[in-house]
Amino acid sequence: MNKQQLAVKIWESANQMRSKIEANEYKDYILGFIFYKYLSDKEVQFAKKMDFTNEDIRGLSEEDTETVEYIKKNIGYFISYENLFSTWIKKGKDFDVSNVRDALSAFSRLISPAHKKLFEGIFATLESGLSKLGDSSAAQTKAISQLIHLIKDIPMDGKQGYDVLGFIYEYLIAMFAANAGKKAGEFYTPHEISVLMSEIIANHLKEKKEIEIYDSTSGSGSLLINIGSSVAKYVDDENNIKFYAQELKQNTYNLTRMNLVMRGILPNNIVTRNGDTLEEDWPYFDENDPTHTYRPLYVDAVVSNPPYSQKWDPSDKEADPRYSRFGLAPKAKADYAFLLHDLYHIKPDGIMSIVLPHGVLFRGGEESVIREKLIEANHIDTVIGLPPNIFFGTSIPTTIMVLKQKRENSDILIVDASKGFIKDGKNNKLRASDIKKISDTVINRLSIRKYSRVVQREEIRENEYNLNIPRYVDSSERPESWDIYASMFGGVPAREIEELKKYWVALPGLKEALFYENSKVNLELNVKDIKKEIEEHPSVKEFVNKFNNSFSDFNKFLKEELLTNMDTVKINREEAVLSKDIFNRLESIPLIDKYEAYQILDDNWGIIKVDLEIIQTEGFESTKKVDPNMVIRKRSGEDVEVQEGWIGRVIPFELVQKTYFKDELKSIENKEGRLFEIDSEYDEIIDSLSDEEKDKPILNDSNDNFINKEVGNILAEILDDVESEEINTLKSYLEFLDDKPKKSEKEGYVSDNPQVAWSNIDPNKDGTYGKMAVNNYLTDLKLAYTFPEGSFESKMVRTANLIAEEKDLKKLIKKEEDLLHQKTKKFIEILSDEQVYGLLEQKWIDPIVLSIDNLPLDIIQKLTGKIKALAEKYETTYSDIANKINEAESSLASMIAELEGNEFDMKGLKEFQSLLESE
């Protein structure tokens, strides 16, 4: 299974296994064991690389001090064979929780002095939490055994291994965050926010050869790692990136270190610190050698997502160089304290990005003073308003602020990105297109109507340094209004038609073809078939042709990039290459949103990326491989992993079947269609039953499905009464068989009764007819008996026939599906290279090309909908409505005049009638 499938499988199992343990706690255990597996496997890989034999590895022991020191010197730690993760697995039923306790204790003793700061105490949370996994040693052993067997299949070797490991680690952190409520904010920044901040930071640093980045509230380290990944796209050697991380909470600090180490980052490029960012600034020296290691920490980029509006203690910090220039944040809200800390630590040409609550943009008091000084010192570069409810555990609106030490320009870019998102469960989530649009806007400092604006400092001064986004960017939608003139006289207001100006500019002559002017402020629809007029208009056809010409060789380009260059394409840079090509093609095409096209690319890129990783790592032959399809099923009340068929490692079974087994698929689809028809026929029969018939025990109250047994019982009673000469003869024959006649007597009976169609009965080996065969034929005869149309008996016979047909169809479908599955497996394993390329084109390229080709049609459809809505909005005038009301009132008054009643009824009706007539 690919990394997504493996991650989902591990999460689903882990979420079940954690039982009543809080997600926030359980994450520390599973992630801790994943990290121990990583360290364990890394030692084995190193040993094999150094020509250790399997026997040598089995001999790894603390007693061999020379080997211990050799391994510690090279990888920073030593794990004996007895304590290896793989040894735990091999122990099987002999595994015990004490094995884990001993191993973690030994690890703490056997860390290299040079790596002590990186590894010391890294398993402290796991060690202290083992007791929470069960009430007894046996329960703890069982829980841990399940856990280590769950993660044992995560690959941790080579480039592909790092990627899979990192992906699964990130996936699990995200899923635990989604289930951890408010505590999620302590350790996780949503991936989309990390990517957005990363793209902005990476663009600023893209010319640098060596880069240092720092996260002052690192949490799990995910934000820092995403920054590193984005920066790595621009540098030739990833080892030229150095990571600094600081985190207050011990268990979260451990996550940071694990996450960084598991990405294959060189230990010397990882500098971490467990401490209070605000109370204890990053030390200017190594605690072990303060005299010779004095060096302030100034980096190329700082990123952070600190706790929002946290209380802090600003006392005695006036002289702190981080705050002395700008002032102290209020003790009830430390937001600006974190911001100033980050700003202090960037180099003169550096950049910082921080996520803060929206209030920092406009709150008064000490914060307004700090904000004014930052603006006048020209540090604030960009303010980005994010959608609400974007973070786990909080729904407060947030903003990303980008600051620099030195800037050439003195303006501030304000971006209102609060409207661009999709719903994802209880939270909102940035799409790839949202991230791309924001980052492009920031990088290119674009002013986009109702989205972003470059604001001059003078205007900000006039607003008293208030940076509240709506003061500068109005992203609100215009509320719907009704034109009085059009409401009275019909037509469409010229003002509302003018709101579609972008269409009229891009499609010249179309407005004039659709409308004619009937007054200075009003237009009248000029056509009956709006859709046809738009689609056939010359400017619309020209628009579509221009688009088609621009993308005429797009398929060829994608094939060259993804298929021809499959082995050499730079996967982490290729999506940018493809998006640049799409944007270039759309540059001269009006109306089409390039970010919508980008979203189409990104929706498909995840699949392509995984496939390319597999092919580049395992070779082209991986496209012809199938893997067991492992699923979790209940067996004796236990969740058990079992195989259900096969799945293609790269090529999906469904794609092969649609391409090469169309007849087989059609046969199955036809039978499934007939099953659907049978369900409908059941419903028809149920609806046709009278209330009295429905009282009979033939229906299941819970879902209105027929019960086979009850139908069979009622049917048997009905059919017992069916008579015909042939049926009566067969009944007599069955009684005759009870006397155990000889073969010749049976043959005589048959020859004496030609009214029976004996040839329709399956004979015995001796040519005679047995009870079972005769009974089957007798049942068929009875079912074939014609009851009166619409009778209860006819409905029961029809039902029985449907049940039998449904049963046979399901057997046939299962048989054909199994046969097709096996044929598909064999076919994938013998695919020719040409067939593989054809299938990959269908899987990777066709969906992108097809969706992008539909973009002009979407524009036309959207415009058609807008014109129809405008026409319908004013189609019925107020005058029409008033006339209809008058007609209704007159009609009602006339009807009242015809009514009769007692004296008081008539007085009341007369008064009502006079009111209607007066109105």
Side-chain angles (χ1 to χ4, degrees), residues 618-636:
E618 301 177 20
F620 186 76
E621 287 303 305
S622 62
T623 59
K624 304 172 187 179
K625 302 289 185 185
V626 296
D627 299 313
N629 180 35
M630 306 306 295
V631 296
I632 304 295
R633 292 285 180 261
K634 284 284 185 186
R635 297 286 187 272
S636 303

Side-chain angles (χ1 to χ4, degrees), residues 10-27 29-30 132-133 143 146-147 150 175-176 178-180:
I10 291 173
W11 161 251
E12 287 177 348
S13 298
N15 199 35
Q16 285 184 337
M17 285 161 52
R18 73 180 175 91
S19 187
K20 296 179 181 178
I21 302 175
E22 291 291 332
N24 187 47
E25 284 188 51
Y26 196 74
K27 77 175 191 311
Y29 310 143
I30 187 168
K132 296 181 181 179
L133 292 172
Q146 288 176 332
L147 232 172
L150 176 62
M175 295 307 293
F176 279 120
N179 286 267

Side-chain angles (χ1 to χ4, degrees), residues 266-310:
L266 297 177
N268 289 338
N269 281 342
I270 301 173
V271 184
T272 60
R273 180 166 179 258
N274 181 204
D276 189 322
T277 298
L278 301 182
E279 291 298 323
E280 306 165 42
D281 190 17
W282 194 278
Y284 298 138
F285 49 81
D286 186 329
E287 294 93 329
N288 298 321
D289 186 11
T291 305
H292 300 98
T293 59
Y294 181 88
R295 175 181 174 270
L297 178 68
Y298 297 122
V299 296
D300 299 292
V302 180
V303 291
S304 65
N305 178 21
Y308 304 147
S309 301
Q310 177 180 280

Side-chain angles (χ1 to χ4, degrees), residues 30 32-41 44 79-91 95 103 144-145 147-154 156:
I30 187 168
F33 277 115
I34 288 175
F35 183 62
Y36 190 84
K37 180 183 188 302
Y38 166 80
L39 295 177
S40 186
D41 290 2
V44 173
I79 300 174
S80 67
Y81 176 78
E82 184 65 21
N83 292 332
L84 289 173
F85 186 93
S86 55
T87 305
W88 292 350
I89 298 296
K90 290 173 185 174
K91 283 179 178 291
F95 172 79
I144 295 169
S145 181
L147 232 172
I148 63 174
H149 278 84
L150 176 62
I151 64 175
K152 68 181 174 63
D153 294 325
I154 301 176
M156 302 196 182

